[in-house]
Amino acid sequence: TMVAKLKASGGDIVIASDDKDMCQLMDEHVLVYSSRQDKVLGVQEGSARFGINPTLIADYIGLCGDASDNIPGVHGIGEVTARNLINQFGTLENIYAHLQDVKPPRVKEKLENQKDEAFFSKGLAVLHDDVPLEADLEMLSIREPNRDQLRKLFEELEFRKIAAEYQSSSTAVATSLFSNLRPSDLKEVVSSIEHSKKMTLLSGKGNVPDDEFCIYVACDGKFTSVSQTEVSRLKSYLEDQSIRKITYDSKSLRKSLDRRHILLNGENLDVHLAGYLLLSGLSSLDISTMTWKYLGEETSHEDEASHVLRLEKLADVMTRELEEKKLWELYRNLELPLSRVLFEIEKEGVHLDVQALMNLSKECDLKLTEIVAKIYGIAGCEFNINSPKQLSEVLFVKLQLPVVKKTKTGFSTDEEVLSRLAAKHEIAQVIIDYRQISKLKSTYIDALPRMVDPKTNRLHATFNQTGAETGRLSSHNPNLQNIPIRTEMGREIRRAFVPFSASDVLLSADYSQIELRILAHLSQDENLIKAFEKDQDIHAYTAGLIFDVKETDVDAQMRNAAKRVNFGIIYGISSFGLGKDLGVSNQEAQDFIDRYFLRYPKVKLFMDHEIKKAQDQGYVTTIFNRRRYIPDIKSKNIGLRQFAERQAINTPVQGSAADLMKMAMIRMQESIHNNRLNSRMIITVHDELVFNVSAAEKNQMASLVREAMEKAYQFLVPITVSVKVGKNWLQMEKL
């Protein structure tokens, strides 16, 4: 339309585009600039590029189509044939006018049979020149951009570096000055701390070689760095309850200070924990990201010294937002005190029986030798079992097993494939066994002894408080949550976790079916509540309802199916997923789900309500008001949307269970301190807490932990805790 309008005014027109569709507008006064070739093309160059007169491109597309624009063309006619026809006859209309002259006969036949498709495709390719467009050259002239609107757009799209370029001059100057500030003398900073009764702290690396520890301290825009030799000068301020502390990852800071016999006391705004609650789902919670989110400033190239000044500004903004979003109580009463509990757990560590692990390692070696020999015997040859390429050749070429899944490089041999092949051939299950034992040996059995701290002779795992959107805790070095307990060899690893001394015992406290109990509370379903009130076997009870039999007539298969449905419902399981899990058809699985909802109707209402809530407000909450944002809940991609719906259902249940465990940990740690006990909390994994307990305190600890865990929150159903004691984490008896 613009070309048609501007032609009348005379002069040459240049279209800047590499889209071949635009070339149909070419003539002696309409040229095309190709950025790919970096030159201006006329009709002659266009003809050389496409092999036809560019004004006939719509006719060309009518014949061979255009996959990039989903234009079908005439099936069976490619680019070469289309060019030949265009050069011989010209337009599509002329080709059909002389159809009797088209050769070879098969091309003529295709054109005869697909005439409608040809003209339909050409119609799709033709550029219209009559769009109602009120524009002239003056309106199209380049003007100064609206920098403020551009900055807002770039901020919304999270183009951080570009947005920083479009900051207003005053903001840019302020940012520049802020990043170029020089450190103050420690006395000046301390004077400000005494006056303001607050201090901002950030761990960093010292400037002196071999100095692994340094703290950046700031107050009211003044800052300095304090090395490990000087940190004692801040001891009285760090331990002063009346001085407010602004920190980033206070747990790590506590660990650094503790090694120097300094406590961190007083009210604390941990920007990292605050960010975890406010920006749930964000992959990075570093200071640069939060500065960008809350202050609109790009700081990725600044050093730790400037970051400590950013923390000062972030603290006020984030405190206000915690209060506005009703997350302040969750921060102050749960996440912050929990970080102190985790610090103490990490400090205590766990005692390992290294000799037991060494013996287990030797057992693994013998077992793996046997398995390898068995695999070679079945395969009829020796090969590298750890090589997917060699393994796939043995399975799918030599043994002719059916191919389940292909990858870019060949045939897949992942766990899912081997599990499906296990029913068809013995070798698949043996390879699964080999992989399981090999992974256990390398990940835990051989690795755990190397992680023991030689100074304390204990294993000190690091617990991650901000890793999961649901609020669940995780750990690394080692990952205690992933120690398998379903295989015999996996369970044996727990035998190596032993008390601090021979006179102590380990005490384990585990929530019983906590997520199902929380589901009963949230859904308020009468049948589900009644089952827990009567302390019935919930899986047998559910089986009785969905199979319409007496509970006493429920067999193991029925109970197992009901168990899979019970837990699957919490995770929004589909009929496909349940069918795959149970080994039944999709229809049978759907029947199970339908019967479940028929017996527990309010569970379905609860699930629908949570999905609707996520759609309306963009997030769901736990009982304790933790938010999880679910951006894909309205996605047009059905796979993403269904996954988001499962998150909306699962988060209120799993997240509330995680919050409950955190609350119980805080209460239990307070009980240990208040009662001045020698026992210590040493492990938290899923719904279980593990303690190192003095033999004399065993009964008292059992009573305290039941009280802390069962009474942490008042639910509509009773919460029960199973308590066990033993000489290691494997061999434990109910107390």
Side-chain angles (χ1 to χ4, degrees):
T1 301
M2 287 305 303
V3 167
K5 279 190 168 195
L6 296 175
K7 262 186 175 182
S9 62
D12 287 343
I13 298 165
V14 181
I15 304 169
S17 173
D18 276 300
D19 186 344
K20 68 175 180 291
D21 291 331
M22 297 299 156
C23 294
Q24 63 187 274
L25 300 175
M26 284 175 134
D27 61 27
E28 58 181 325
H29 294 295
V30 180
L31 312 172
V32 170
Y33 168 72
S34 168
S35 60
R36 202 177 294 147
Q37 295 175 262
D38 192 24
K39 66 179 181 181
V40 175
L41 310 175
V43 173
Q44 189 176 346
E45 290 86 359
S47 298
R49 177 181 172 186
F50 300 114
I52 59 169
N53 187 314
T55 60
L56 296 173
I57 278 176
D59 301 88
Y60 168 77
I61 291 173
L63 290 170
C64 64
D66 187 344
S68 63
D69 284 335
N70 284 323
I71 299 177
V74 176
H75 182 67
I77 290 184
E79 294 178 2
V80 173
T81 302
R83 276 197 295 270
N84 291 338
L85 287 168
I86 294 288
N87 287 325
Q88 184 179 354
F89 298 103
T91 65
L92 192 64
E93 287 80 2
N94 205 41
I95 292 171
Y96 275 93
H98 297 85
L99 198 57
Q100 69 278 6
D101 299 326
V102 170
K103 293 177 183 177
R106 57 185 176 79
V107 173
K108 176 185 173 184
E109 185 183 349
K110 286 171 183 173
L111 289 169
E112 281 178 331
N113 295 336
Q114 300 179 63
K115 183 176 180 179
D116 290 345
E117 287 88 340
F119 281 99
F120 173 69
S121 297
K122 177 179 176 177
L124 290 176
V126 170
L127 297 177
H128 288 255
D129 61 2
D130 56 355
V131 175
L133 193 65
E134 295 303 322
D136 55 30
L137 284 176
E138 184 57 36
M139 289 175 68
L140 298 177
S141 61
I142 295 173
R143 295 181 297 276
E144 277 297 304
N146 185 323
R147 300 181 67 85
D148 191 47
Q149 283 189 10
L150 273 175
R151 179 183 58 78
K152 287 175 182 175
L153 177 62
F154 291 138
E155 285 177 355
E156 181 186 339
L157 298 174
E158 298 190 2
F159 295 168
R160 289 168 54 173
K161 290 180 182 176
I162 305 176
E165 293 173 20
Y166 281 83
Q167 286 176 348
S168 66
S169 56
S170 59
T171 308
V173 169
T175 303
S176 174
L177 289 172
F178 209 47
S179 58
N180 291 323
L181 283 173
R182 293 287 174 264
S184 302
D185 184 76
L186 180 58
K187 287 182 180 178
E188 285 184 76
V189 178
V190 165
S191 176
S192 290
I193 292 170
E194 290 173 343
H195 179 262
S196 302
K197 289 294 181 183
K198 66 177 183 181
M199 62 195 300
T200 304
L201 304 156
L202 179 64
S203 295
K205 290 185 177 179
N207 297 320
V208 182
D210 302 324
D211 186 357
E212 295 179 357
F213 173 75
C214 160
I215 293 182
Y216 291 91
V217 190
C219 183
D220 294 335
K222 299 184 181 71
F223 78 95
T224 190
S225 61
V226 180
S227 68
Q228 60 181 341
T229 54
E230 298 176 300
V231 73
S232 58
R233 295 171 64 184
L234 288 173
K235 180 178 171 71
S236 61
Y237 302 100
L238 292 164
E239 296 184 345
D240 190 333
Q241 292 278 7
S242 68
I243 295 176
R244 182 177 185 245
K245 314 299 190 302
I246 297 165
T247 61
Y248 178 85
D249 189 5
S250 56
K251 176 161 70 74
S252 294
L253 179 60
R254 283 179 198 281
K255 288 166 82 169
S256 297
L257 292 173
D258 183 69
R259 286 192 282 270
R260 290 147 186 93
H261 310 291
I262 299 173
L263 301 175
L264 183 67
N265 294 327
E267 183 190 337
N268 181 6
L269 193 281
D270 186 326
V271 170
H272 190 226
L273 290 179
Y276 173 54
L277 295 180
L278 292 169
L279 304 171
S280 165
L282 210 63
S283 59
S284 174
L285 292 171
D286 58 24
I287 295 170
S288 292
T289 300
M290 287 189 278
T291 299
W292 164 255
K293 281 283 184 184
Y294 288 104
L295 306 179
E297 298 170 6
E298 173 58 39
T299 65
S300 56
H301 299 298
E302 296 182 15
D303 58 18
E304 290 163 325
S306 58
H307 277 162
V308 74
L309 296 173
R310 302 290 177 195
L311 287 181
E312 273 198 305
K313 295 177 73 176
L314 283 169
D316 293 336
V317 178
M318 295 176 82
T319 299
R320 282 197 302 274
E321 187 159 339
L322 284 170
E323 291 169 346
E324 287 167 6
K325 291 185 174 178
K326 297 181 171 57
L327 291 167
W328 179 250
E329 295 301 313
L330 183 65
Y331 168 79
R332 187 181 64 182
N333 297 331
L334 202 71
E335 294 297 348
L336 184 62
L338 179 73
S339 71
R340 299 188 189 113
V341 174
L342 293 176
F343 155 70
E344 294 188 47
I345 292 176
E346 291 177 12
K347 181 182 175 182
E348 290 295 339
V350 295
H351 188 48
L352 276 186
D353 184 343
V354 174
Q355 187 59 51
L357 288 171
M358 290 170 66
N359 294 339
L360 191 57
S361 181
K362 290 175 184 174
E363 282 183 44
C364 283
D365 287 334
L366 292 172
K367 187 73 175 171
L368 287 171
T369 302
E370 290 174 14
I371 291 174
V372 168
K374 188 173 183 179
I375 291 171
Y376 290 164
I378 298 170
C381 64
E382 292 189 7
F383 63 99
N384 183 355
I385 302 169
N386 297 317
S387 164
K389 186 172 184 294
Q390 291 186 33
L391 179 59
S392 68
E393 285 176 3
V394 169
L395 295 178
F396 306 115
V397 179
K398 190 171 189 300
L399 298 178
Q400 293 289 299
L401 292 178
V403 174
V404 177
K405 191 164 56 176
K406 289 184 178 180
T407 65
K408 289 180 180 179
T409 55
F411 304 128
S412 172
T413 58
D414 64 17
E415 189 176 348
E416 182 190 355
V417 168
L418 291 175
S419 297
R420 288 172 66 176
L421 292 175
K424 302 179 186 297
H425 202 289
E426 180 188 11
I427 195 170
Q429 185 56 55
V430 185
I431 292 166
I432 290 172
D433 295 340
Y434 170 84
R435 284 184 177 177
Q436 286 178 343
I437 295 173
S438 295
K439 187 174 181 181
L440 281 176
K441 186 175 187 297
S442 62
T443 308
Y444 292 105
I445 297 169
D446 291 343
L448 288 175
R450 294 196 294 268
M451 295 180 190
V452 172
D453 187 333
K455 294 176 184 174
T456 63
N457 206 29
R458 292 182 191 173
L459 183 71
H460 300 269
T462 299
F463 289 89
N464 186 358
Q465 192 175 346
T466 61
E469 291 179 63
T470 57
R472 272 194 178 269
L473 297 170
S474 60
S475 62
H476 61 276
N477 293 332
N479 183 345
L480 296 169
Q481 273 74 7
N482 277 10
I483 295 178
I485 56 171
R486 290 182 181 174
T487 64
E488 184 182 347
M489 195 68 76
R491 286 191 292 273
E492 281 298 313
I493 295 171
R494 288 196 167 203
R495 191 190 297 274
F497 287 75
V498 294
F500 295 162
S501 68
S503 60
D504 294 345
V505 292
L506 293 186
L507 183 145
S508 161
D510 196 352
Y511 275 120
S512 171
Q513 297 162 339
I514 189 61
E515 290 185 357
L516 288 175
R517 292 172 192 270
I518 288 174
L519 178 63
H521 173 85
L522 289 170
S523 67
Q524 299 184 25
D525 186 274
E526 289 84 356
N527 279 334
L528 209 48
I529 290 171
K530 185 166 69 175
F532 286 119
E533 283 179 340
K534 292 184 175 180
D535 197 24
Q536 289 177 281
D537 177 339
I538 189 62
H539 304 312
Y541 178 83
T542 299
L545 288 178
I546 65 176
F547 289 104
D548 201 18
V549 298
K550 291 180 181 177
E551 208 173 316
T552 51
D553 295 333
V554 171
D555 61 27
Q557 194 172 356
M558 290 176 178
R559 186 183 184 278
N560 181 56
K563 181 178 180 180
R564 301 296 178 96
V565 178
N566 270 331
F567 287 120
I569 289 296
I570 297 170
Y571 293 90
I573 199 167
S574 64
S575 58
F576 174 78
L578 182 62
K580 192 176 176 183
D581 201 21
L582 291 173
V584 299
S585 69
N586 285 3
Q587 187 55 55
E588 284 181 273
Q590 188 58 54
D591 287 344
F592 282 140
I593 293 171
D594 291 343
R595 290 204 293 266
Y596 179 95
F597 288 138
L598 192 63
R599 299 323 191 259
Y600 299 129
K602 286 191 177 178
V603 172
K604 184 70 169 72
L605 291 174
F606 160 74
M607 292 166 63
D608 292 342
H609 176 261
E610 291 304 312
I611 292 171
K612 180 71 166 59
K613 194 182 347 178
Q615 290 169 342
D616 290 344
Q617 60 189 26
Y619 62 88
V620 289
T621 57
T622 67
I623 292 170
F624 305 93
N625 209 40
R626 181 185 304 279
R627 289 187 181 191
R628 182 179 189 177
Y629 292 94
I630 305 184
D632 291 326
I633 196 69
K634 292 184 179 179
S635 174
K636 291 178 182 178
N637 181 316
I638 190 169
L640 290 175
R641 189 173 68 249
Q642 288 177 341
F643 182 69
E645 288 173 356
R646 290 195 293 273
Q647 289 178 322
I649 294 165
N650 170 248
T651 297
V653 179
Q654 192 186 83
S656 294
D659 288 344
L660 179 69
M661 175 57 92
K662 290 177 176 181
M663 193 174 287
M665 289 172 68
I666 295 164
R667 287 168 61 108
M668 191 58 206
Q669 196 75 340
E670 286 174 354
S671 292
I672 291 172
H673 288 172
N674 293 342
N675 288 281
R676 299 185 179 183
L677 300 176
N678 293 316
S679 300
R680 293 288 180 266
M681 194 186 309
I682 57 171
I683 295 172
T684 173
V685 51
H686 302 311
D687 302 322
E688 179 184 13
L689 292 178
V690 182
F691 302 84
N692 188 92
V693 174
S694 303
E697 296 173 354
K698 183 177 67 175
N699 291 331
Q700 185 182 7
M701 278 292 291
S703 175
L704 287 173
V705 78
R706 278 202 173 94
E707 176 74 18
M709 293 177 73
E710 293 179 352
K711 300 296 190 322
Y713 184 82
Q714 190 62 48
F715 289 93
L716 294 175
V717 295
I719 302 299
T720 60
V721 172
S722 170
V723 180
K724 298 177 182 178
V725 292
K727 278 296 181 182
N728 59 62
W729 198 9
L730 175 66
Q731 296 171 302
M732 306 190 94
E733 295 180 359
K734 267 196 173 184
L735 194 64

